[in-house]
Amino acid sequence: MDMGLEPHVVEFAPKLMPRQLDARSSNVLQLTLEDIGIHIHTGKATNKIIGEDQITGMDFDVGIRGGVVVNNKMQTSDPSIYAIGEVALYNQMIYGLVAPGYEMAEVAVHQILQTSDTMMSASIDMSTKLKLIGVDVASFGEPYMPADKGLSIIYENKTKGVYKRINVSHDGKTLLGGIMVGDAEDYGILHQMYINNMPLPDNAEELIVGARGEGGGSAFGSVMDLPDEAVICSCEAVTKGQVCCSVIDDGNETVKAIAKATKAGTGCGGCKPMIADLVKESLKTLGKTVKERICEHFDYSRQELYDIVKTKKVTSYNNLLDLVGTGNGCEVCKPLVASIFASIYNETANKQESIQDSNDRYLANIQRNGTYSVVPRVAGGEISPKQLIAMGRIAQKYDLYTKITGGQRIDMFGAQLHELPLIWEELIAEGFETGQAYGKSLRTVKSCVGSTWCRYGMDESVSFAIEIENRYKGIRSPHKFKGGVSGCIRECAEARGKDFGFIAVEGGWNVYVGGNGGANPKHALLIAEKVDKETAIKYVDRFIMFYIKTAQPLQRTAPWLEKLEGGVTYLQNVIINDSIGIVDELDREMQALVDSYKCEWKEAIETPEIRERYTHFVNSEEKDENIEFVSLRDQKMPKEWA
Amino acid sequence: MIANTFETVKTENVTTWFKAAPTSKFPKNAGACIKYKDKQIAVFNFEREGAWYACQNLCPHKMEMVLSRGMIGEENMEAKVACPLHKNTFSLKTGENLNGTLDAIATYPVKVEDGFVYVGFAD
């Protein structure tokens, strides 16, 4: 299709992948493929291919599938000729899979060399997982279930093109087989449960729909529950025991090292996640914690590196790499070190631009078609009509798509690289400053309208939100962080869904930390009640600083707090009761960050060398003509991805 | 199809050394994009490694002209670029997708002479 041709798939059987899939899953697969533009013809046997030089047509006929008949020694009718793989018709079947092919090869080799009398087994495991033009398909054991043998649990979601089926014994205790189309992530463990005859959990449906309730934990248990003889890598026939021995006895502590030593994971690669789990668990049994190592260039955790930079006063990435690292760096350690420099020296992303994540390097968020979005800060979500008009005028001039964000500000999309300094020059002239929407840094502090207008308001939430957003603006951190301020317990600002939140109550402010929305929503936890504004700010100052210094890369406050030993009680002791004697230092460090803020876009447009970075070509004034927009409700959007 | 317009050129097959721009136009340890005929080529001055690299600017994942804006680095001593859109990484030596199964990208030889950067093409 990439070559502009029209692909057709001709299948002899009445449905796709007849050995592995039942009628419904085969149908899901067929619809997904047809959606991509592939024509499917089932129940067609090719009799003749017509045309010279190129195919002009095909003559279909219903006939018996061919193949060279072999016996269980892989011998053809001529005893000195062997056949294996897809040419061999064994048990009246052609096995179009790699694993039976390997097995046949082994039998044939042993027969030819007369080393042992290995025979092909009568029952062949047709389990497989593969990707068919981007669609995950897997099947194992008994894919369809005669009612006298067992029962099926079926999950189908046509909107997502997902079909899953597992077949269990009548007593619900053993897994007999299954099919997965559209999502085959759990194939590895399900296949293991099947071949090792492992007991099923009480609610077998959780195996395909996921566990419900708190945490949504795995229904499978641990990979360590598998017997040692369980084959983890079926391409290379490597067992769980071999993988674990390789870790424990031979000191191979990475998936790569295991692959080198045992060949596990070097075939289809589908078992790699399980090998990674086995490595981790085996190391645990040795009493080794898996060291939090940034990447191959720095053998340290983020916190260790933070301390090194601070105590050794390192100020450049290259120096740090020379001093305590190896090699030439990568896309993992570079932005991490950039973030540490920002947290310690509050330097903007303009200074060491080549170690910044791409978004920080250009001070804008790259969007689907390689254009950027522009988000000025609108502290607390308060914006005057004059500012709105200015923003509207600029957005219109540069033909930008505008939308209100979830953080109570305005996002302008579709700016090309060379337009960014021009747009920001105009915004800054109107009194705007960067909103750091591109950074791992403070995003916004959301507020409700508060006691200035609201008849329920207990305090001025907007004023507080503006003050606190201006206090933390520009501060870069292990991950983005957001705040909220609500004027009463009705909580219209959703402050408890933020990394930090203040809620006005009778007699002061309640302070919450460690919440977020996103993939795993978490409510923030209460750390102080009815405190005055100054105290509330002090606690959150210390919380943020403590988080910045100790969190792992790209870890938000909620998972950080969850992993923090002693949890919220420990946090309260550290930042309120000064149990480890660091609050003065935290206060000082935070104040230094607050005092040294500068708008990095202002810096960028005023510095010619920085402005020069904003050009698509370095040898031409031309624009990127690859960018295409289509219209959308009186605005525009990038052309859809193929 | 736009992806087909890029094809790896080996030094021995170069027919044109295209004079792209002075070295000062290229950021250190990062990328920049040049235009040659209708092609967009990403050029990287991997100063720390003491090497220059060039590859197609098109990321084969979503067909966007963005690779020059990606971060560069190395994995097992092999120079690579990470696409700014989804962090797919490609070897700057072989063009191979290092963290997935995407098509390889085309790479081009680079030489620096008299303060100018030249990229080798066979068309």
Side-chain angles (χ1 to χ4, degrees):
Chain A
M1 273 195 293
D2 286 349
M3 295 185 289
L5 301 174
E6 192 183 294
H8 291 257
V9 171
V10 180
E11 169 59 55
F12 171 70
K15 62 182 190 214
L16 290 174
M17 299 189 70
R19 299 273 161 69
Q20 286 86 14
L21 301 183
D22 61 7
R24 276 168 77 182
S25 54
S26 189
N27 195 32
V28 170
L29 176 65
Q30 183 169 346
L31 289 175
T32 315
L33 293 179
E34 282 172 345
D35 249 12
I36 304 172
I38 297 170
H39 302 265
I40 312 275
H41 310 271
T42 55
K44 300 268 192 309
T46 310
N47 195 25
K48 209 179 187 179
I49 295 175
I50 308 161
E52 281 173 25
D53 296 333
Q54 61 174 13
I55 300 170
T56 54
M58 287 168 90
D59 185 15
F60 295 130
D61 191 14
V62 181
I64 301 160
R65 174 167 281 197
V68 179
V69 179
V70 292
N71 60 18
N72 59 1
K73 296 174 175 172
M74 294 293 113
Q75 235 164 3
T76 63
S77 56
D78 180 336
S80 55
I81 298 177
Y82 292 78
I84 58 167
E86 277 184 274
V87 73
L89 187 72
Y90 176 64
N91 281 351
Q92 271 103 58
M93 289 246 285
I94 296 282
Y95 297 88
L97 292 174
V98 64
Y102 285 160
E103 212 177 313
M104 289 175 176
E106 190 148 344
V107 171
V109 168
H110 282 300
Q111 290 297 337
I112 294 166
L113 298 176
Q114 303 272 304
T115 40
S116 71
D117 202 22
T118 316
M119 306 263 201
M120 197 65 193
S121 53
S123 75
I124 289 175
D125 185 11
M126 290 293 282
S127 302
T128 188
K129 177 186 168 185
L130 41 95
K131 220 183 187 64
L132 263 178
I133 322 175
V135 186
D136 278 323
V137 180
S139 157
F140 62 94
E142 186 72 60
Y144 357 90
M145 178 83 338
D148 57 318
K149 275 180 77 183
L151 303 161
S152 299
I153 303 172
I154 294 174
Y155 166 82
E156 183 170 9
N157 184 341
K158 282 196 170 139
T159 63
K160 291 188 172 157
V162 172
Y163 175 91
K164 295 184 192 181
R165 168 180 182 161
I166 50 171
N167 303 316
V168 300
S169 58
H170 282 294
D171 60 8
K173 287 201 172 121
T174 32
L175 186 59
L176 302 173
I179 298 170
M180 279 159 268
V181 173
D183 169 15
E185 205 183 314
D186 296 326
Y187 166 76
I189 191 85
L190 287 172
H191 183 220
Q192 289 298 334
M193 290 179 92
Y194 157 71
I195 50 177
N196 296 301
N197 218 356
M198 287 164 67
L200 285 174
D202 288 343
N203 300 314
E205 73 272 13
E206 290 182 355
L207 293 175
I208 51 173
V209 296
R212 255 167 270 167
E214 271 308 286
S218 164
F220 310 119
S222 157
V223 275
M224 293 310 263
D225 298 341
L226 293 171
D228 274 350
E229 57 276 13
V231 175
I232 299 293
C233 169
S234 39
C235 297
E236 296 292 338
V238 184
T239 62
K240 177 203 159 201
Q242 285 170 294
V243 172
C244 293
C245 276
S246 182
V247 178
I248 294 168
D249 302 336
D250 305 332
N252 295 310
E253 298 183 357
T254 62
V255 176
K256 262 187 192 161
I258 300 277
K260 215 169 171 189
T262 67
K263 285 193 153 184
T266 57
C268 70
C271 58
K272 277 184 183 170
M274 287 177 78
I275 297 174
D277 285 348
L278 284 174
V279 170
K280 207 166 144 194
E281 294 302 320
S282 305
L283 285 175
K284 266 193 201 158
T285 63
L286 290 177
K288 280 192 193 177
T289 38
V290 188
K291 191 171 155 61
E292 304 290 354
R293 185 172 187 255
I294 292 165
C295 64
E296 65 183 69
H297 307 105
F298 288 103
D299 197 13
Y300 296 100
S301 69
R302 182 183 176 278
Q303 190 180 346
E304 287 168 333
L305 210 55
Y306 184 100
D307 291 337
I308 290 169
V309 170
K310 186 149 188 156
T311 50
K312 293 192 192 281
K313 298 192 171 57
V314 187
T315 55
S316 93
Y317 173 79
N318 278 333
N319 285 351
L320 187 67
L321 201 48
D322 292 338
L323 207 62
V324 296
T326 52
N328 295 317
C330 68
E331 80 282 4
V332 175
C333 59
K334 284 178 176 181
L336 182 144
V337 171
S339 162
I340 291 176
F341 286 144
S343 296
I344 294 175
Y345 309 116
N346 213 14
E347 68 183 43
T348 65
N350 293 323
K351 196 179 161 205
Q352 299 185 56
E353 94 280 8
S354 73
I355 61 166
Q356 308 294 335
D357 234 323
S358 179
N359 282 351
D360 284 305
R361 180 176 168 201
Y362 295 107
L363 309 179
N365 291 42
I366 194 163
Q367 302 295 340
R368 207 154 56 71
N369 61 348
T371 61
Y372 288 89
S373 70
V374 171
V375 191
R377 186 164 302 287
V378 178
E382 184 184 82
I383 186 162
S384 69
K386 185 173 167 279
Q387 285 175 304
L388 276 173
I389 290 166
M391 216 184 270
R393 175 185 61 76
I394 296 165
Q396 200 164 37
K397 177 172 171 186
Y398 292 94
D399 190 22
L400 304 174
Y401 167 89
T402 52
K403 185 182 183 308
I404 309 290
T405 72
Q408 299 187 330
R409 48 189 185 176
I410 296 163
D411 205 338
M412 300 181 267
F413 293 81
Q416 295 195 30
L417 195 58
H418 68 277
E419 294 176 314
L420 288 173
L422 306 172
I423 293 168
W424 275 107
E425 197 157 43
E426 296 202 33
L427 285 168
I428 286 167
E430 293 286 354
F432 289 104
E433 56 184 1
T434 179
Q436 258 105 12
Y438 43 81
K440 305 294 177 224
S441 56
L442 175 78
R443 295 292 172 83
T444 65
V445 180
K446 188 175 178 179
S447 69
C448 69
V449 78
S451 62
T452 47
W453 290 88
C454 177
R455 65 193 189 279
Y456 295 113
M458 306 288 296
D459 211 327
E460 281 186 60
S461 47
V462 180
S463 307
F464 195 4
I466 293 171
E467 182 183 340
I468 204 79
E469 180 161 342
N470 283 326
R471 180 170 181 79
Y472 297 146
K473 68 186 175 189
I475 292 179
R476 289 167 76 191
S477 43
H479 208 311
K480 64 182 173 187
F481 68 107
K482 306 176 180 184
V485 185
S486 275
C488 78
I489 48 146
R490 285 170 190 77
E491 244 282 73
C492 296
E494 295 164 337
R496 290 193 62 201
K498 307 292 180 204
D499 297 272
F500 64 87
F502 306 102
I503 299 173
V505 290
E506 189 76 56
W509 294 93
N510 283 357
V511 183
Y512 296 86
V513 298
N516 62 223
N520 289 304
K522 268 256 135 62
H523 269 147
L525 302 170
L526 182 70
I527 55 162
E529 276 183 285
K530 294 184 191 175
V531 293
D532 61 23
K533 206 164 80 176
E534 288 65 38
T535 312
I537 293 174
K538 191 161 279 229
Y539 291 166
V540 171
D541 274 4
R542 294 169 182 170
F543 158 73
I544 292 170
M545 210 58 228
F546 191 41
Y547 159 69
I548 287 176
K549 294 175 78 155
T550 59
Q552 286 175 36
L554 300 180
Q555 185 178 41
R556 283 195 68 176
T557 60
W560 168 77
L561 190 52
E562 223 163 79
K563 296 253 162 65
L564 191 69
E565 232 169 281
V568 72
T569 318
Y570 175 72
L571 178 70
Q572 284 170 309
N573 276 329
V574 171
I575 64 174
I576 299 174
N577 307 325
D578 198 13
S579 61
I580 55 172
I582 59 164
V583 300
D584 287 343
E585 190 186 333
L586 295 176
D587 288 347
R588 227 179 14 252
E589 287 166 340
M590 177 52 85
Q591 198 54 48
L593 291 181
V594 172
D595 292 342
S596 58
Y597 167 80
K598 62 179 159 195
C599 171
E600 50 199 359
W601 257 116
K602 189 162 186 289
E603 179 182 58
I605 59 163
E606 286 171 354
T607 316
E609 305 86 80
I610 301 176
R611 267 189 99 128
E612 259 182 40
R613 293 172 196 163
Y614 294 88
T615 154
H616 189 78
F617 296 110
V618 292
N619 66 334
S620 163
E621 298 290 313
E622 286 168 69
K623 288 196 242 175
D624 178 7
E625 64 206 13
N626 192 48
I627 295 173
E628 275 181 71
F629 290 102
V630 294
S631 66
L632 170 79
R633 292 182 292 275
D634 295 334
Q635 295 200 63
K636 65 174 182 184
M637 64 173 260
K639 201 179 141 220
E640 296 227 34
W641 274 338
Chain B
M1 192 68 199
I2 193 149
N4 299 336
T5 61
F6 296 103
E7 213 172 308
T8 291
V9 175
K10 301 255 181 242
T11 312
E12 58 270 26
N13 303 330
V14 171
T15 52
T16 315
W17 281 103
F18 174 64
K19 189 175 184 178
T23 51
S24 59
K25 285 272 190 184
F26 296 86
K28 288 170 182 168
N29 296 308
C33 182
I34 62 154
K35 188 162 189 172
Y36 170 71
K37 294 185 180 172
D38 284 335
K39 286 193 183 77
Q40 294 195 19
I41 305 292
V43 177
F44 301 94
N45 174 11
F46 204 152
E47 194 198 37
R48 222 194 127 83
E49 206 186 62
W52 288 74
Y53 296 97
C55 68
Q56 65 186 55
N57 196 30
L58 183 87
C59 177
H61 178 210
K62 293 295 178 185
M63 305 297 162
E64 301 293 353
M65 292 289 184
V66 290
L67 289 181
S68 64
R69 289 176 258 163
M71 307 192 76
I72 56 167
E74 60 166 23
E75 185 174 322
N76 298 322
M77 313 290 279
E78 190 161 344
K80 63 172 175 176
V81 59
C83 175
L85 287 176
H86 302 95
K87 291 270 157 71
N88 289 302
T89 54
F90 300 91
S91 163
L92 288 173
K93 287 214 168 92
T94 65
E96 190 193 336
N97 177 204
L98 299 173
N99 59 353
T101 53
L102 292 169
D103 289 344
I105 54 171
T107 58
Y108 301 85
V110 184
K111 67 175 183 183
V112 175
E113 269 173 26
D114 302 326
F116 271 86
V117 174
Y118 295 78
V119 180
F121 294 97
D123 63 330

